[in-house]
Amino acid sequence: MDIFDGIITGFQVALSFQGLLIVFIGAVTGTLIGMIPGLGPITAIAVMIPITYGMDPAMALLLMAGVYYGAAYGGAASSILLNAPGESMSVPTTFDGYPMAKQGKAGKALAISAIASFVGGTISVILLTLFAPVLASVAVSFGPAEYFALMLFGLLAVSSFADGSTVKALISATIGFMIATVGIDGQTGTTRYTFGNANLLEGVDFLVIALGLFALAEVSSLIFERKEKSVFGKKLGSLQLSKNEVKEMAGPTGRQSLIGFLIGILPGAGGTIASFLAYISEKKLSKKPEEFGKGSIAGLAAPEAANNSASSGSFVPLLSLGIPGSGTTAVMLGALIVLGVQPGPLLMTEHPDIFWGVIASMYIGNVILLVLNLPLIPYISKILKVPRPLLISLVIVFCIIGVFGVSYNTFDLYLLVLFGIVGFFMARFKFPAAPMLLAFILGGMMEQSLRQSLTISNGSLFIFVEKPIALTLIVIAFLSFIVPILRNRNRKKIDEDSVDQKYNSM
Amino acid sequence: MLNTLNKKLALLLAILAACYLLFSFRLPDYPYVPVDSDAVPITLGFILLLLSIFLYFSKDESKKEERRLPKGETQVILSVLGFVILYVFFFEIIGFVLTTALFIFFNSLFLGFKKWLPNVIVSLALPLSIYFLFDSFLQISLPSGILPF
Amino acid sequence: MKKFLSVMSVFILLFVAACSNDSTASGDDTWEPEKTIEIVAPAGPGGGWDTTARMAAKIFEEEEIIDQGLGVVNKPGGGGAVAWAYIHGKDSPYNLFVNSPPLLLVPLNGQSEYTFNDFTPISNLIADYAAIAVSADAEWDNLNELFEDMKKDPESIAVVGASSPGSMDHIQFVHVAKAAGVDITKIKYVSDQDGGALTQLLNGSVEVFSTGVAETVEQVRAGNIKVLGITSEERLTGEVLEDFPTAIEQGIDASFINWRGFFGPADMDQAALDYYEQKFKELNDSEGWAGVREQYGWSEMYMDHEEYVDFLTEQEKEMKALLDELGLGN
C-alpha cells in the first residue's frame, strides 16, 4: 500500500460520521482536561483507556488522538492565563503568553497559540504522512553520546535567559541541575540527597517545581495587585490580529514547526527540548529580542508551534517502531495493547487502517480544535475577570490539585509550597526562574547520558569525538554559549564607558 | 563586608554549595562504573561555589526600593502562606472537599472578597464538582477524609 | 395442634438459623468486609502494578466475587517504598496492595525499611519472564556464545536495561550470567530510564538488552532483534514466544520469575486472610480474569498464602546472595 492509498484508507476511517463524532468528543474532553493546570495529555489519555475498552481499535485510537491534541491545546490556556504550565513542554509558552495576558491581551495570546499550534500540528502531520517509514531510522540514530550533546546544547543556552546578570542565570541553572540529582541514581542505584525520605527516592517531580516557581510565585504579585481595578478592558477576549502581527508570527511558526518535528522524532525529551530551543533560537534570530519575556508574539508562537509539531513527531518512533518516545506515547502504547494491537515495526503493514487512521485523525483533530477553540477564547479569557481575591484562591487550589493528581502525596504539596516561597524570593532578588527549570529538566538526562556513554566507552572521552552528530552538537553548544557572553561583555564595556563619560562631563 | 545584597546572597549560596559538596563527598562508592554518582554533583558544587564568588564581586543593579514590599503586605503574604500550609496539612485528614471549601471561602474573604453569596456558592460548588469529576470520571481519588463518600 | 406444631417448628428453625447466623458473624472464625476495600498500586497510572490492581478490582466487582466496592489508589514513589510505608501505617484489612520482585529488591538495596516480612502475602496470580536479546545481526546465536565472549573480553560488551543496578533488569541478567560462570563484577551495565533502552540496542550503542519477554515479541517478528534466552523453566506457548529458548535448555541452570500478587498489612487476622485467600482463588479461576490474562499476555501462576511465603523466602535468599556478591546489599 503506498502513501496515497494509505491516507485515503485513513480518511475513510476518520471521516465517517462515527469517526468525526469521536474525534470531536475527544477534542472537547481533552481541551477541558488540559485546561486544568497539572493535568496534561498523559492523564487525559490514561483516563480514556478504560472508556475505550471494547471499542473498535481504530475508533478508540481516534478518540485518544483527539484527546491528546485537545489536552495540548487546553494546556496552553492555563499557561497563558494563570502562568501554570501543566507539562514541561508548555513552560516556554508562559514566558510571553502570561505577560501578554497581564497586559489585557489574553484573547490575542490564546489566538496566537491556537493558530501556531494548528500550523505546527498540520505541518508535522504532513511530514509524518510523507516520511514516517523513512524517518524510523532517524528516530534510532541517537545513542547516549548524541543525547548528551543535545542536552548540553539545550543547557548551555541558559545564558540567553539572562535578562540582567548572566551570573544570576547561571546560579539559577546550577541549582536546578542540583535538584535533578536528588533521588536514586540510575547508573549506580546510589540514593542521593534523600535524607532517608522515601518520598524523594524518585526525585522531585517536574510539576512541583514548575507550578511552585511559576504559578505560586506569581500569586504573590497577584496579591499585591488585588485592590487595583482590573486593567482589562473590552479587548480582553478579542482575538483580532493585525496584519503586522500575523507577519511577525509567520516566520517563527514555520521554522519551528520543521525543527520541532525533527527533534520530536527523537525518543526522550523531544517536546520539551523542541519548545525551549524554539524559544531560544527565535530570541537570537529576532530583530526585537528585548521584547522576549515581555509579551513578544514571536516568543509565544515559536514554542507553541514547536511543541505541537514535536508531539506529532513523537508518533514516528511509536508507529514505525513501537518505541514510545515520550510519557504520552508510552501511555498510548499501553492503550493500544489493551485494544489488542501490539505496536511494533509491523504495525504499518499489518494494521494499515490503524496506522493511517491515526494520521488522518490528526489532520481532522487539528481542524476541529482550531474551529472549536477560537470561538471559545472570549469566554475562556473571562476567567481573568474573576475578582482578584477569588482568582488567587482558585489558582492555589488548582496548583494543589494538579500536584496531588500526579503524586497522590501530601509531601509533594509541602514541596510545592516550598518552591513557591523559593520562587517568590527569586523574583524579588532578580534571579530568573526559567534556567532553573530548564536545567532541572535537561540536567538529569544529561548526567545519565554522559555516564552511559562513558560506561560504554570504558571511560574514554573519545566517544564524543568519533561520533559526527555528537561532535557537531557539542561544538555548536559551546559557540552559542561563549559568543553571546563575549558580545555582552563588549556591549557592557561600551555602556560603562558612556556612563563614565556622562559622569565625567557632569 | 556584607553591606550589599549580592554579598549576602553570595554567602548564602556558598554555604549551600558547601553543604551540597559535603554530602556529595560522602556518597558511597560503586566500583563498576568509570564515572561514579558523585562526579557530576562535585562538579556542580564547585561551579556554584565559583559562581557565588562572582556574585560577591558583581555590582548590585537592583534598587532597594524595588525590593521592599508594599506597606503592610508582608503580613498579608505571610497570612496567605499560613492558610496554604493549613490547607495542605488538613488536606488528607479532613478531606479534599471540606478543606478546599474552607480555604477558598476564608482566603478570598481575607483578601477582600466581600460578596458573601458568590463566595459561598463557589466555595461549595467548585470542590464538590471537582471531587465527583475526578473520582468518577478521571479515576483520580482525591482524599475523602471525614466525609462518608 | 398439628398446625400449631408446624408453625412452632418453623419459628424454631428460623430462630436457630438466626442464632447460627449471629454466631458466625460475631465469631472469630470468619470475616466479611463491611466497607469499601482499597487496593493500592504503588506506582502511577498505566504501569503493570496499576493495571493488575484495576483489572482485579474490576473482575471482583463484575463477577460479584466480592460484594463490597473496591477502590484502586495510586501511591507512586520510591519504587514502591512510599506505598509500603503507607500500608504499614494503615494496618487495616481494608488496605491491600499489589507487588512484584521490587518488594524484595528495593529493601535489599537499602531503599526501604520494610521487607515482605512486614506484610502478609495473600496470593500470587501471574508471572512474567525475562528475556536476553541482542541485535538481529549480532554474532551470537545462543546464550553460551554470548557468555563465552563475556568471559574472554568483558569490556567489549555492554548490557542495557530500563532500571538502575540492583533492580530487576540488572539482577535478572546477572542471575543468568552467574549461573553460566561469568564474573558478575565485570559486567558492564547501563541503565536507561527514559525509555531509550531498546533504541540503544537498535542503534548499536550497546550489545545486549535485558528486558521482559513481552517487550521483545514485535521486534523479533520484524527481524530487528533476536532473543538468545528467556528465564522461564519451560518454553512458553504462543506464536513467536514458543521459539524462544530457555536458559535451562541451553544448560544454564537459572530461572527468574517476575511474579505479581497481592499483599495485606503485617499480621493480618487469620479470618481476614482466609477470606481474601478464598476470594483471590475465585478470582484466579474466574473466566473474566482468564480473559484479562490473555488480553495482557500474562502467564498464570497461582500460589496460596503458604506457598507464597515459602517462595518469597527462597527468592529473597537468592537475591541477597547476588547483591552481596556485587557489593550492593546494604
Side-chain angles (χ1 to χ4, degrees), chain C residues 263-282:
Chain C
F263 295 77
D267 306 321
M268 210 173 173
D269 201 32
Q270 185 62 42
L273 174 60
D274 289 345
Y275 171 83
Y276 281 124
E277 220 182 341
Q278 171 65 28
K279 293 299 176 188
F280 275 104
K281 175 87 185 118
E282 280 174 38

Side-chain angles (χ1 to χ4, degrees), chain A residues 29 33 36 39 43-44 46-48 50-51 164-168 170-175 177-179 181-182 185 187-193 195 216 219-221 223-227 387-394 396-398 400-401 404-406 408-411 413-414 417 421 424 428-431 447 450-451 454-456 458-460 492 496, chain B residues 5-6 9 13 16-17 20 23-24 27-30 32-42 44-48 51-52 54-55 58-62 66-70 73-74 76-77 80-81 84-85 87-92 96 100 103-105 107-113 115 118-119 122-123 126 130 133-134 137-143:
Chain A
T29 321
I33 296 177
I36 304 173
L39 296 191
T43 324
V47 165
M48 287 296 136
I51 296 174
S165 141
T166 314
V167 175
K168 284 183 174 175
L170 291 177
I171 288 175
S172 180
T174 311
I175 294 176
F177 202 153
M178 285 174 163
I179 299 168
T181 62
V182 173
D185 169 43
Q187 300 311 309
T188 61
T190 311
T191 45
R192 300 191 289 191
Y193 322 109
F195 309 105
L216 277 194
V219 161
S220 66
S221 66
I223 290 177
F224 299 144
E225 298 158 10
R226 70 184 182 281
K227 284 174 201 148
R388 278 299 166 83
L390 191 58
L391 185 64
I392 293 166
S393 308
L394 294 186
I396 296 172
V397 167
F398 277 120
I400 291 205
I401 297 174
F404 195 84
V406 175
Y408 305 90
N409 195 329
T410 359
F411 177 82
L413 297 182
Y414 285 114
V417 177
I421 298 171
F424 169 78
R428 292 266 112 193
F429 298 146
K430 298 244 152 54
F431 282 83
E447 188 198 356
L450 168 71
R451 290 166 54 207
L454 291 174
T455 302
I456 290 169
N458 298 309
S460 155
K492 257 197 188 141
E496 273 165 26
Chain B
L5 178 74
N6 275 357
L9 286 175
L13 288 167
L16 179 75
Y20 184 81
F23 284 110
S24 306
L27 285 172
D29 287 338
Y30 180 81
Y32 314 119
V33 285
V35 185
D36 206 351
S37 61
D38 57 353
V40 169
I42 288 172
L44 288 173
F46 280 114
I47 290 178
L48 187 60
L51 287 171
S52 54
F54 279 136
L55 184 68
S58 71
K59 243 193 288 176
D60 204 345
E61 66 294 287
S62 65
E66 276 178 25
R67 285 200 310 270
R68 191 170 292 144
L69 293 175
E73 293 295 83
T74 318
V76 178
I77 288 271
V80 173
L81 180 66
V84 175
I85 290 173
Y87 178 31
V88 171
F89 181 78
F90 288 109
F91 194 71
E92 275 193 304
F96 170 77
T100 307
F103 174 78
I104 295 180
F105 182 80
N107 193 53
S108 310
L109 183 73
F110 173 77
L111 290 173
F113 188 48
K115 294 176 190 150
N119 198 356
V122 174
S123 312
L126 189 92
I130 287 184
L133 184 74
F134 272 53
F137 180 60
L138 298 180
Q139 299 197 322
I140 294 174
S141 43
L142 294 166

Side-chain angles (χ1 to χ4, degrees), chain C residues 108-157:
Chain C
L108 286 172
N109 280 307
Q111 289 153 359
S112 166
E113 55 179 307
Y114 301 109
T115 69
F116 84 91
N117 290 312
D118 295 301
F119 302 102
T120 308
I122 298 170
S123 71
N124 193 68
L125 294 185
I126 50 182
D128 195 2
Y129 302 95
I132 295 170
V134 296
S135 165
D137 49 17
E139 51 187 305
W140 311 290
D141 285 317
N142 58 56
L143 284 179
N144 289 313
E145 288 176 20
L146 171 70
F147 288 138
E148 275 318 304
D149 276 2
M150 285 187 84
K151 285 179 207 166
K152 270 185 246 151
D153 187 9
E155 289 214 328
S156 68
I157 295 169

Side-chain angles (χ1 to χ4, degrees), chain A residues 123-270:
Chain A
I123 291 183
S124 58
V125 179
I126 295 174
L127 294 172
L128 189 63
T129 315
L130 298 176
F131 303 117
V134 191
L135 287 170
S137 58
V138 178
V140 294
S141 61
F142 269 46
E146 286 85 0
Y147 273 110
F148 168 73
L150 183 67
M151 305 292 162
L152 187 72
F153 180 53
L155 199 57
L156 287 186
V158 289
S159 57
S160 59
F161 281 106
D163 230 3
S165 141
T166 314
V167 175
K168 284 183 174 175
L170 291 177
I171 288 175
S172 180
T174 311
I175 294 176
F177 202 153
M178 285 174 163
I179 299 168
T181 62
V182 173
I184 299 175
D185 169 43
Q187 300 311 309
T188 61
T190 311
T191 45
R192 300 191 289 191
Y193 322 109
T194 60
F195 309 105
N197 189 327
N199 295 301
L200 286 172
L201 283 174
E202 280 174 12
V204 182
D205 197 274
F206 156 80
L207 257 189
V208 171
I209 302 186
L211 291 181
L213 288 186
F214 285 77
L216 277 194
E218 182 57 29
V219 161
S220 66
S221 66
L222 284 179
I223 290 177
F224 299 144
E225 298 158 10
R226 70 184 182 281
K227 284 174 201 148
E228 291 169 19
K229 268 271 167 239
S230 72
V231 290
F232 312 122
K234 281 183 186 151
K235 283 224 171 131
L236 174 66
S238 152
L239 26 126
Q240 270 184 357
L241 296 175
S242 73
K243 233 181 206 168
N244 274 339
E245 286 167 332
V246 174
K247 223 182 248 170
E248 199 181 332
M249 67 180 284
T253 307
R255 272 192 296 274
Q256 300 307 333
S257 297
L258 281 174
I259 301 173
F261 180 73
L262 285 175
I263 296 178
I265 292 174
L266 303 170

